[in-house]
Every structure is written in C-alpha cells, then in structure tokens.
Amino acid sequence: MHHFKGAIFDMDGTLLDSMPVWKRLTAGYLEQFGVFITDQEYAATEGLSQPQVAQFFLERYPSLPLDVQGLLDGMDRLITTRYETIAKPRAGVMAYLDSLRARGVHMAVATLTARRHAEKALRDRGMLDYFDFMLTIEDVGVSKWEPDIYLQAAARMELSPADCVVFEDAPYACTTAKRAGFYVCGVMEPAYAKGEAELRASSDFVIEHSFDEIEGKL
C-alpha cells in the first residue's frame, strides 16, 4: 500500500462524471452561427483553456459575429446549464474522500476548468469542503501538458511529488504527472478510450469503474 500525505485530484472525469458537459460543447454552441467543427479542430484544442479555445475558433472563422468575450459568455451559460443537469460524482468517490479525510491526507483539486464553474460544480454536490484548495489553469497559466499545476499543488501542501498521488483520467496528464515524479492513479474514462494504453503505462494504479476498487490498496 502506498502511504502518501497528499492527494491531487483532477475534476472532470475524475471527481465528477462530467465529461459529457464538454462533449461537443463548442460545436453545440457554434452550430447556431453556421459553423460546423471538424474532428481535427477538436483534436487541436485538447487541453486548451476556454479563452484559448475561443481565440482558436474566432481566428479560423472570422465570419462569427462575436468577439472573444461574447463567445466566452455564450459558452459560459451553456457550461453552467450542462454542469447543473449532467454532472454527478464518480462512483465511490464520496466514500473515498471521507476515508482520506479520516486519514488526515491533504487534498487539492487541479483542473483546467474555470474556477467559478469548478467551485460551483463541487459545491452543488457537497464536495468542495473536502479540499484544502483548488488550482485552475487561471492560477497556473499552462495546461497539463506541463507539470506546473501538480508541482504548485505539492509545493502548497509542503510535500514532495513522491509523497502525493495525482488522480487523473486524461492519459496525457497521467504521463505529465508521472514524469514529474508523482504517484499516479489513472481513472478510466470513456471519453479517453483511445488513450487507454498510455493511461495504463503512466499509472501506478488504475481505477476501472469505481473508487471502491482502491480499498486497502491506496
């Protein structure tokens, strides 16, 4: 059993079954303006923040009758609605958070989602109070292709990466955390099915369906 002092959780797809919130979100919004997004464009925006995504599509489709702020505001309303209607805690996660709290493990959230959405999504489900703090892409400035968000979380806990477990469902993020010296628990997520081999290769432990699988192991 790995004895760790800190746990750093991704939110979408890890703490929350919320990947459907983001599925074709931009497409769903832009279709009203006659813009139909390709799979290649989706791939190009993987791991980008919402402002970066907005910039990307406005540059590619100059006919859009929006500026960056207008696009962000419209997407923002859609994201809020989708979190409220779609997102739910991942199976077994509440009991696992209880067990970590009982063990005195420090817990933090590291997410690429904007803070106001992430805090509301977790607060609405009674999950926010488990965490000492939350770091978002707004705090860190770079995506999870870089290890900064995990390193800053560990530093804030005054722990080394080796003393922390990172919980992630994105295969590329598991790889980033592993390379930075963290113990990694990969969480299987259908949205990332194509990256399963990478997730398994980068993870020290893999959750297939439910956090119940961790019992006695992590």
Side-chain angles (χ1 to χ4, degrees):
M1 185 166 169
H2 184 71
H3 292 285
F4 54 91
K5 298 171 185 164
I8 301 166
F9 290 87
D10 167 58
M11 186 180 79
D12 291 303
T14 300
L15 286 171
L16 294 179
D17 181 4
S18 54
M19 291 305 282
V21 169
W22 300 98
K23 188 171 174 61
R24 303 204 65 76
L25 175 81
T26 315
Y29 187 70
L30 290 181
E31 278 169 11
Q32 66 188 298
F33 302 106
V35 168
F36 298 91
I37 291 172
T38 67
D39 289 343
Q40 285 84 350
E41 286 168 337
Y42 255 102
T45 58
E46 169 73 66
L48 296 184
S49 68
Q50 281 301 108
Q52 288 169 327
V53 171
Q55 195 73 52
F56 175 87
F57 285 110
L58 288 171
E59 282 169 9
R60 294 194 72 128
Y61 296 99
S63 65
L64 282 168
L66 299 162
D67 57 7
V68 168
Q69 199 53 52
L71 180 50
L72 286 175
D73 290 347
M75 299 278 280
D76 212 63
R77 291 189 290 276
L78 191 52
I79 292 166
T80 299
T81 306
R82 283 188 170 196
Y83 267 118
E84 287 173 352
T85 53
I86 297 172
K88 57 186 189 290
R90 284 285 305 229
V93 75
M94 302 299 277
Y96 186 58
L97 294 175
D98 280 331
S99 74
L100 290 185
R101 182 149 68 184
R103 280 156 58 182
V105 172
H106 291 287
M107 290 183 270
V109 175
T111 179
L112 296 182
T113 298
R115 176 177 294 274
R116 66 190 177 284
H117 290 307
E119 286 186 347
K120 184 177 188 305
L122 292 174
R123 189 184 294 113
D124 284 354
R125 286 150 193 82
M127 298 169 81
L128 191 60
D129 291 344
Y130 285 98
F131 302 100
D132 300 352
F133 60 89
M134 170 186 288
L135 287 179
T136 75
I137 196 163
E138 296 144 308
D139 305 308
V140 181
V142 293
S143 79
K144 289 176 176 177
W145 292 98
E146 308 292 334
D148 303 40
I149 198 164
Y150 308 120
L151 294 171
Q152 284 187 32
R156 200 157 151 184
M157 292 173 173
E158 299 184 345
L159 296 172
S160 70
D163 282 328
C164 300
V165 181
V166 168
F167 292 84
E168 268 289 355
D169 65 315
Y172 76 92
C174 290
T175 299
T176 299
K178 190 71 204 153
R179 284 185 184 143
F182 290 88
Y183 188 93
V184 175
C185 178
V187 183
M188 293 290 290
E189 159 57 55
Y192 290 118
K194 286 186 182 137
E196 181 178 345
E198 182 183 356
L199 180 128
R200 290 187 185 279
S202 302
S203 300
D204 298 283
F205 187 87
V206 175
I207 293 172
E208 307 278 347
H209 304 289
S210 168
F211 276 80
D212 296 343
E213 295 158 29
I214 290 175
E215 200 170 333
K217 300 189 181 83
L218 211 57

